[in-house]
CSV table of all heavy atoms in Angstrom, one decimal:
chain,number,residue,atom,x,y,z
A,24,ILE,N,332.0,157.8,75.1
A,24,ILE,CA,330.7,158.2,75.6
A,24,ILE,C,330.3,157.2,76.7
A,24,ILE,O,330.0,156.0,76.4
A,24,ILE,CB,329.6,158.2,74.5
A,24,ILE,CG1,330.0,159.2,73.4
A,24,ILE,CG2,328.2,158.6,75.1
A,24,ILE,CD1,329.0,159.1,72.2
A,25,MET,N,330.4,157.6,77.9
A,25,MET,CA,330.3,156.7,79.1
A,25,MET,C,328.8,156.6,79.4
A,25,MET,O,328.2,157.5,80.0
A,25,MET,CB,331.1,157.3,80.3
A,25,MET,CG,332.5,157.6,80.0
A,25,MET,SD,333.4,158.3,81.4
A,25,MET,CE,332.6,159.9,81.6
A,26,ASP,N,328.2,155.5,79.0
A,26,ASP,CA,326.8,155.3,79.1
A,26,ASP,C,326.5,154.0,79.9
A,26,ASP,O,327.2,153.0,79.8
A,26,ASP,CB,326.2,155.2,77.7
A,26,ASP,CG,324.7,155.4,77.7
A,26,ASP,OD1,324.1,155.9,78.8
A,26,ASP,OD2,324.0,155.2,76.7
A,27,GLY,N,325.4,154.0,80.6
A,27,GLY,CA,324.9,152.8,81.3
A,27,GLY,C,325.1,152.8,82.8
A,27,GLY,O,324.8,151.8,83.5
A,28,ASN,N,325.5,154.0,83.4
A,28,ASN,CA,325.6,154.0,84.9
A,28,ASN,C,324.3,153.7,85.6
A,28,ASN,O,324.2,152.9,86.5
A,28,ASN,CB,326.1,155.4,85.3
A,28,ASN,CG,327.6,155.6,85.0
A,28,ASN,OD1,328.3,154.7,84.6
A,28,ASN,ND2,328.0,156.8,85.0
A,29,GLY,N,323.2,154.4,85.1
A,29,GLY,CA,321.9,154.2,85.7
A,29,GLY,C,321.4,152.8,85.6
A,29,GLY,O,320.9,152.2,86.5
A,30,ARG,N,321.6,152.2,84.4
A,30,ARG,CA,321.1,150.8,84.2
A,30,ARG,C,321.9,149.8,85.0
A,30,ARG,O,321.4,148.8,85.5
A,30,ARG,CB,321.2,150.4,82.7
A,30,ARG,CG,320.0,150.9,81.9
A,30,ARG,CD,320.2,150.8,80.4
A,30,ARG,NE,321.0,151.9,80.0
A,30,ARG,CZ,321.5,152.0,78.7
A,30,ARG,NH1,321.3,151.0,77.9
A,30,ARG,NH2,322.2,153.1,78.4
A,31,TRP,N,323.2,150.1,85.2
A,31,TRP,CA,324.0,149.2,86.0
A,31,TRP,C,323.5,149.2,87.4
A,31,TRP,O,323.4,148.2,88.1
A,31,TRP,CB,325.5,149.8,86.0
A,31,TRP,CG,326.5,149.0,86.8
A,31,TRP,CD1,327.2,147.9,86.4
A,31,TRP,CD2,326.8,149.2,88.2
A,31,TRP,NE1,328.0,147.5,87.4
A,31,TRP,CE2,327.8,148.2,88.5
A,31,TRP,CE3,326.3,150.0,89.2
A,31,TRP,CZ2,328.3,148.1,89.8
A,31,TRP,CZ3,326.9,149.9,90.4
A,31,TRP,CH2,327.8,149.0,90.7
A,32,ALA,N,323.1,150.4,87.9
A,32,ALA,CA,322.6,150.5,89.3
A,32,ALA,C,321.2,149.8,89.4
A,32,ALA,O,320.9,149.1,90.4
A,32,ALA,CB,322.5,152.0,89.7
A,33,GLN,N,320.3,150.1,88.4
A,33,GLN,CA,319.0,149.5,88.4
A,33,GLN,C,319.0,148.0,88.4
A,33,GLN,O,318.2,147.3,89.1
A,33,GLN,CB,318.2,150.0,87.3
A,33,GLN,CG,317.8,151.5,87.4
A,33,GLN,CD,317.3,152.1,86.2
A,33,GLN,OE1,317.2,151.5,85.1
A,33,GLN,NE2,316.9,153.4,86.3
A,34,LYS,N,320.0,147.4,87.7
A,34,LYS,CA,320.1,145.9,87.6
A,34,LYS,C,320.4,145.4,89.0
A,34,LYS,O,320.1,144.2,89.3
A,34,LYS,CB,321.2,145.5,86.6
A,34,LYS,CG,320.8,145.6,85.2
A,34,LYS,CD,321.9,145.4,84.2
A,34,LYS,CE,322.5,144.0,84.4
A,34,LYS,NZ,323.5,143.7,83.4
A,35,ARG,N,321.0,146.2,89.9
A,35,ARG,CA,321.4,145.8,91.2
A,35,ARG,C,320.5,146.3,92.3
A,35,ARG,O,320.8,146.2,93.5
A,35,ARG,CB,322.9,146.2,91.4
A,35,ARG,CG,323.9,145.4,90.6
A,35,ARG,CD,325.2,146.1,90.4
A,35,ARG,NE,326.1,145.3,89.7
A,35,ARG,CZ,326.1,145.2,88.3
A,35,ARG,NH1,325.2,145.8,87.6
A,35,ARG,NH2,327.0,144.4,87.7
A,36,HIS,N,319.4,146.9,91.8
A,36,HIS,CA,318.4,147.5,92.7
A,36,HIS,C,319.0,148.5,93.6
A,36,HIS,O,318.7,148.6,94.8
A,36,HIS,CB,317.7,146.4,93.6
A,36,HIS,CG,317.2,145.3,92.8
A,36,HIS,ND1,316.0,145.4,92.0
A,36,HIS,CD2,317.6,144.0,92.6
A,36,HIS,CE1,315.8,144.3,91.4
A,36,HIS,NE2,316.7,143.4,91.7
A,37,LEU,N,319.9,149.3,93.0
A,37,LEU,CA,320.5,150.4,93.7
A,37,LEU,C,320.1,151.7,93.1
A,37,LEU,O,319.6,151.8,92.0
A,37,LEU,CB,322.1,150.3,93.5
A,37,LEU,CG,322.7,149.1,94.1
A,37,LEU,CD1,324.2,149.0,93.6
A,37,LEU,CD2,322.7,149.1,95.6
A,38,PRO,N,320.2,152.9,93.8
A,38,PRO,CA,319.9,154.2,93.3
A,38,PRO,C,320.8,154.5,92.1
A,38,PRO,O,321.9,154.1,92.1
A,38,PRO,CB,320.0,155.1,94.5
A,38,PRO,CG,320.9,154.4,95.4
A,38,PRO,CD,320.7,153.0,95.2
A,39,ARG,N,320.3,155.3,91.2
A,39,ARG,CA,321.1,155.7,90.0
A,39,ARG,C,322.5,156.3,90.4
A,39,ARG,O,323.5,156.1,89.7
A,39,ARG,CB,320.3,156.6,89.1
A,39,ARG,CG,319.2,156.0,88.4
A,39,ARG,CD,318.4,157.0,87.6
A,39,ARG,NE,319.3,157.7,86.6
A,39,ARG,CZ,319.6,157.3,85.4
A,39,ARG,NH1,319.1,156.1,85.0
A,39,ARG,NH2,320.3,158.0,84.6
A,40,VAL,N,322.5,157.0,91.5
A,40,VAL,CA,323.7,157.7,91.9
A,40,VAL,C,324.8,156.7,92.2
A,40,VAL,O,326.0,157.0,92.1
A,40,VAL,CB,323.5,158.7,93.0
A,40,VAL,CG1,322.7,159.8,92.6
A,40,VAL,CG2,323.0,158.0,94.3
A,41,ALA,N,324.4,155.5,92.6
A,41,ALA,CA,325.4,154.4,92.9
A,41,ALA,C,326.1,154.0,91.6
A,41,ALA,O,327.3,153.7,91.6
A,41,ALA,CB,324.7,153.2,93.5
A,42,GLY,N,325.4,154.1,90.5
A,42,GLY,CA,326.0,153.8,89.2
A,42,GLY,C,327.0,154.8,88.8
A,42,GLY,O,328.1,154.6,88.3
A,43,HIS,N,326.7,156.1,89.1
A,43,HIS,CA,327.6,157.2,88.8
A,43,HIS,C,328.8,157.1,89.6
A,43,HIS,O,329.9,157.4,89.1
A,43,HIS,CB,326.9,158.5,89.0
A,43,HIS,CG,325.8,158.8,88.0
A,43,HIS,ND1,325.9,158.7,86.7
A,43,HIS,CD2,324.5,159.2,88.3
A,43,HIS,CE1,324.7,159.0,86.1
A,43,HIS,NE2,323.9,159.3,87.0
A,44,ARG,N,328.7,156.7,90.9
A,44,ARG,CA,329.8,156.6,91.8
A,44,ARG,C,330.8,155.5,91.2
A,44,ARG,O,332.0,155.6,91.2
A,44,ARG,CB,329.4,156.3,93.2
A,44,ARG,CG,330.6,156.3,94.2
A,44,ARG,CD,330.1,156.0,95.6
A,44,ARG,NE,329.3,157.1,96.1
A,44,ARG,CZ,328.0,157.1,96.3
A,44,ARG,NH1,327.3,156.0,96.0
A,44,ARG,NH2,327.4,158.2,96.8
A,45,GLU,N,330.2,154.3,90.9
A,45,GLU,CA,330.9,153.2,90.3
A,45,GLU,C,331.5,153.6,89.0
A,45,GLU,O,332.7,153.2,88.6
A,45,GLU,CB,330.1,152.0,90.2
A,45,GLU,CG,330.9,150.7,89.8
A,45,GLU,CD,331.9,150.3,90.8
A,45,GLU,OE1,331.7,150.7,92.0
A,45,GLU,OE2,332.9,149.7,90.5
A,46,GLY,N,330.8,154.4,88.2
A,46,GLY,CA,331.3,154.9,86.9
A,46,GLY,C,332.6,155.7,87.1
A,46,GLY,O,333.5,155.7,86.3
A,47,MET,N,332.6,156.5,88.2
A,47,MET,CA,333.8,157.3,88.4
A,47,MET,C,335.0,156.4,88.7
A,47,MET,O,336.2,156.7,88.3
A,47,MET,CB,333.6,158.3,89.5
A,47,MET,CG,334.7,159.3,89.7
A,47,MET,SD,334.9,160.4,88.2
A,47,MET,CE,336.6,161.0,88.5
A,48,ASN,N,334.8,155.3,89.4
A,48,ASN,CA,335.9,154.4,89.7
A,48,ASN,C,336.4,153.8,88.4
A,48,ASN,O,337.6,153.6,88.2
A,48,ASN,CB,335.4,153.2,90.6
A,48,ASN,CG,335.1,153.7,92.0
A,48,ASN,OD1,335.7,154.6,92.5
A,48,ASN,ND2,334.2,153.1,92.7
A,49,THR,N,335.5,153.6,87.4
A,49,THR,CA,335.9,153.1,86.1
A,49,THR,C,336.7,154.1,85.4
A,49,THR,O,337.7,153.8,84.7
A,49,THR,CB,334.6,152.7,85.3
A,49,THR,OG1,333.9,151.7,86.0
A,49,THR,CG2,335.0,152.2,83.9
A,50,VAL,N,336.3,155.4,85.5
A,50,VAL,CA,337.1,156.5,84.9
A,50,VAL,C,338.5,156.4,85.4
A,50,VAL,O,339.5,156.5,84.6
A,50,VAL,CB,336.5,157.9,85.3
A,50,VAL,CG1,337.5,159.0,85.0
A,50,VAL,CG2,335.2,158.1,84.6
A,51,LYS,N,338.8,156.2,86.7
A,51,LYS,CA,340.1,156.1,87.2
A,51,LYS,C,340.9,154.9,86.6
A,51,LYS,O,342.0,155.1,86.2
A,51,LYS,CB,340.0,156.0,88.7
A,51,LYS,CG,339.4,157.2,89.4
A,51,LYS,CD,339.3,157.0,90.9
A,51,LYS,CE,338.7,158.2,91.6
A,51,LYS,NZ,338.5,158.0,93.1
A,52,LYS,N,340.2,153.8,86.5
A,52,LYS,CA,340.9,152.6,86.0
A,52,LYS,C,341.2,152.7,84.5
A,52,LYS,O,342.3,152.4,84.1
A,52,LYS,CB,340.0,151.3,86.2
A,52,LYS,CG,339.9,150.9,87.7
A,52,LYS,CD,339.1,149.7,87.9
A,52,LYS,CE,337.6,149.9,87.6
A,52,LYS,NZ,336.8,148.7,87.9
A,53,ILE,N,340.3,153.2,83.7
A,53,ILE,CA,340.5,153.3,82.3
A,53,ILE,C,341.4,154.4,82.0
A,53,ILE,O,342.2,154.3,81.0
A,53,ILE,CB,339.1,153.5,81.6
A,53,ILE,CG1,338.2,152.3,81.8
A,53,ILE,CG2,339.3,153.7,80.1
A,53,ILE,CD1,338.9,150.9,81.4
A,54,THR,N,341.5,155.4,82.7
A,54,THR,CA,342.5,156.5,82.5
A,54,THR,C,343.9,155.9,82.6
A,54,THR,O,344.8,156.1,81.8
A,54,THR,CB,342.4,157.6,83.6
A,54,THR,OG1,341.1,158.3,83.4
A,54,THR,CG2,343.5,158.6,83.4
A,55,MET,N,344.1,155.1,83.6
A,55,MET,CA,345.5,154.5,83.8
A,55,MET,C,345.7,153.4,82.7
A,55,MET,O,346.9,153.3,82.2
A,55,MET,CB,345.6,153.8,85.2
A,55,MET,CG,345.5,154.8,86.3
A,55,MET,SD,346.7,156.2,86.1
A,55,MET,CE,346.1,157.3,87.4
A,56,SER,N,344.7,152.7,82.3
A,56,SER,CA,344.9,151.7,81.3
A,56,SER,C,345.2,152.4,79.9
A,56,SER,O,346.2,151.9,79.2
A,56,SER,CB,343.6,150.9,81.1
A,56,SER,OG,343.3,150.1,82.2
A,57,ALA,N,344.5,153.4,79.6
A,57,ALA,CA,344.8,154.2,78.4
A,57,ALA,C,346.2,154.8,78.4
A,57,ALA,O,346.9,154.7,77.4
A,57,ALA,CB,343.7,155.3,78.1
A,58,ASN,N,346.6,155.3,79.5
A,58,ASN,CA,347.9,155.9,79.7
A,58,ASN,C,349.0,154.8,79.5
A,58,ASN,O,350.0,155.0,78.8
A,58,ASN,CB,348.0,156.5,81.0
A,58,ASN,CG,349.3,157.3,81.2
A,58,ASN,OD1,349.7,158.1,80.3
A,58,ASN,ND2,350.0,157.1,82.3
A,59,ASN,N,348.8,153.7,80.1
A,59,ASN,CA,349.8,152.6,79.9
A,59,ASN,C,349.9,152.1,78.5
A,59,ASN,O,350.9,151.6,78.1
A,59,ASN,CB,349.4,151.5,80.9
A,59,ASN,CG,349.6,151.8,82.3
A,59,ASN,OD1,350.4,152.7,82.7
A,59,ASN,ND2,348.9,151.1,83.2
């Protein structure tokens, strides 16, 4: 359950969508980690 994108952005004074964009980058990294 991928939670916390909005709070990640708010902590950095960024719009919530910035957290979702960064969250997608995490999806890519964790997909490869899990596969490995």
Side-chain angles (χ1 to χ4, degrees):
I24 301 173
M25 305 179 293
D26 197 13
N28 289 345
R30 274 167 283 173
W31 182 91
Q33 289 168 356
K34 285 174 62 177
R35 290 158 177 79
H36 306 289
L37 297 170
R39 286 177 59 86
V40 294
H43 294 308
R44 185 179 292 108
E45 188 63 28
M47 189 62 197
N48 291 332
T49 301
V50 167
K51 296 177 181 180
K52 291 184 290 187
I53 295 306
T54 296
M55 296 308 172
S56 296
N58 187 47
N59 290 337

